[in-house]
């Protein structure tokens, strides 16, 4: 797993507000998974590089009571302190929701209503209570994924030399009180590679151009090897491209290499 955080060292005599940000950053890092889950049906790697001490990218894996595995990745509007607050709300809500709700459609619909209610508390701040989100639940026995893509950059599935893009099935959460949310489905095959990521990777700039979707697609098609090697190479590709360090926007990615059907729903 590649986990990097932008930002310099704290000065010895830090301002109390700076101390607060440092502690808040450590708390936020505690929310994110330290290691991907171990599962028989796939191998999982992650990368997280933050633009500042606090950010709006979030992701996690949740094992469902019936043996299915939930994976989600999202990007709250903006970054820095305000986005980290909303990120924490979203993260906590999804974890709580997973205790009683077993499908992406209901989870995302409930999250949308939750954020809209918060946005109604202050019109001048309502744009902060929004996020893109991809949430999928994978059944190990069938390798079938049920998902909602709420305005998130389309995940890629590499199958041999063909790319499949999992396009949006709903608007981002938090924008519309009565959002039209629909479900998508994808059936994985052995040796498929699923790549989930945030737009900070596409928007990474070298001062002249952005990394962009075409470079990401070419990288995905031409980079073989293990999931660990893939994540290391993705971080290296961004550095070689000349992207900022720390990045201008939070950059997160999850790669899942499908192995074979396993136990579970």
């Amino acid at each position: 797993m590649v986990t990097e955080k932008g930002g310099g060292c704290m000065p010895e005599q830090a301002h109390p507000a700076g101390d607060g940000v440092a502690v808040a950053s450590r708390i936020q890092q505690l929310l994110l998974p330290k290691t991907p889950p171990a599962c028989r049906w796939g191998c999982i790697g992650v990368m997280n590089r933050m633009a500042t001490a606090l950010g709006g990218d979030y992701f996690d894996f949740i094992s469902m009571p019936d043996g299915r595995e939930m994976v989600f990745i999202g990007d709250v509007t903006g970054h820095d302190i305000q986005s980290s607050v909303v990120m924490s709300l979203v993260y906590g809500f999804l974890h709580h929701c997973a205790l009683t709700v077993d499908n992406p459609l209901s989870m995302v619909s409930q999250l949308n209503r939750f954020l809209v209610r918060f946005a109604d508390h202050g019109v001048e701040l309502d744009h902060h209570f929004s996020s893109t989100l991809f949430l999928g639940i994978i059944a190990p026995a069938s390798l079938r994924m049920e998902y909602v893509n709420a305005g998130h950059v389309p995940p890629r599935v590499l199958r041999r030399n063909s790319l499949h893009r999992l396009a949006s099935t709903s608007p981002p959460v938090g924008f519309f009180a009565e959002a039209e949310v629909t479900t998508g489905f994808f059936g994985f095959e052995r040796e498929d590679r699923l790549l989930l990521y945030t737009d900070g990777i596409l928007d990474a700039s070298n001062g002249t151009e952005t990394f962009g979707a075409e470079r990401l697609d070419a990288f995905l098609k031409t980079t073989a090897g293990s999931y660990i090697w893939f994540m290391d190479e993705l971080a290296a590709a961004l550095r070689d491209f000349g992207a900022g360090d720390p990045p201008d926007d939070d950059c997160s990615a999850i790669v899942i290499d499908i192995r074979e059907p396993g136990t579970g729903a």
Side-chain angles (χ1 to χ4, degrees):
M1 177 175 70
V2 179
T3 304
E4 303 177 26
K5 182 176 67 178
C9 296
M10 291 288 293
E12 289 186 8
Q13 298 297 325
H15 188 276
D19 290 342
V21 169
V23 172
S25 176
R26 291 175 61 189
I27 292 172
Q28 185 179 44
Q29 288 300 311
L30 290 176
L31 297 179
L32 302 177
K34 296 297 175 289
T35 57
C39 50
R40 294 180 57 188
W41 54 268
C43 299
I44 304 173
V46 303
M47 180 182 77
N48 174 235
R49 300 182 66 235
M50 297 174 67
T52 59
L54 295 166
D57 280 10
Y58 58 95
F59 57 90
D60 209 350
F61 314 90
I62 301 176
S63 296
M64 308 294 286
D66 60 4
R68 292 179 301 161
E69 189 74 30
M70 183 171 111
V71 56
F72 63 83
I73 186 169
D75 183 5
V76 170
T77 301
H79 54 81
D80 216 330
I81 295 176
Q82 65 275 14
S83 62
S84 72
V85 172
V86 179
M87 168 268 189
S88 299
L89 286 173
V90 172
Y91 186 91
F93 186 90
L94 289 175
H95 271 264
H96 177 74
C97 199
L99 297 174
T100 56
V101 181
D102 65 356
N103 67 88
L105 181 63
S106 294
M107 288 185 187
V108 175
S109 297
Q110 290 184 33
L111 173 62
N112 181 71
R113 292 192 292 269
F114 173 76
L115 290 176
V116 168
R117 284 198 300 271
F118 267 95
D120 288 343
H121 294 170
V123 175
E124 72 279 6
L125 298 174
D126 61 356
H127 62 287
H128 290 297
F129 290 92
S130 57
S131 175
T132 66
L133 169 66
F134 181 92
L135 189 154
I137 299 180
I138 301 172
S142 63
L143 296 181
R144 185 171 185 260
M145 178 172 68
E146 181 180 4
Y147 67 89
V148 169
N149 183 345
H152 199 71
V153 286
R156 268 70 166 158
V157 179
L158 178 65
R159 176 169 295 166
R160 290 175 284 277
N161 200 41
S162 298
L163 280 179
H164 303 265
R165 296 172 180 82
L166 307 182
S168 291
T169 62
S170 81
V173 291
F175 278 105
F176 306 107
E178 299 299 329
E180 184 177 346
V181 182
T182 58
T183 304
F185 297 90
F186 190 87
F188 292 107
E189 296 179 2
R190 186 177 181 180
E191 297 186 358
D192 282 354
R193 171 165 280 175
L194 169 65
L195 177 64
L196 311 166
Y197 58 98
T198 58
D199 63 4
I201 290 177
L202 299 184
D203 296 340
S205 174
N206 61 11
T208 303
E209 56 185 337
T210 58
F211 193 75
E214 289 188 8
R215 279 190 180 85
L216 183 62
D217 288 347
F219 175 84
L220 181 55
K221 284 186 173 181
T222 58
T223 305
S226 73
Y227 61 102
I228 297 174
W229 170 262
F230 180 88
M231 276 308 186
D232 288 343
E233 287 299 293
L234 178 57
L238 290 168
R239 288 194 300 268
D240 293 344
F241 173 70
D245 186 17
D248 296 326
D249 192 11
D250 302 333
C251 296
S252 301
I254 300 170
V255 64
I256 302 178
D257 285 349
I258 306 298
R259 295 194 295 190
E260 57 187 12
T263 58

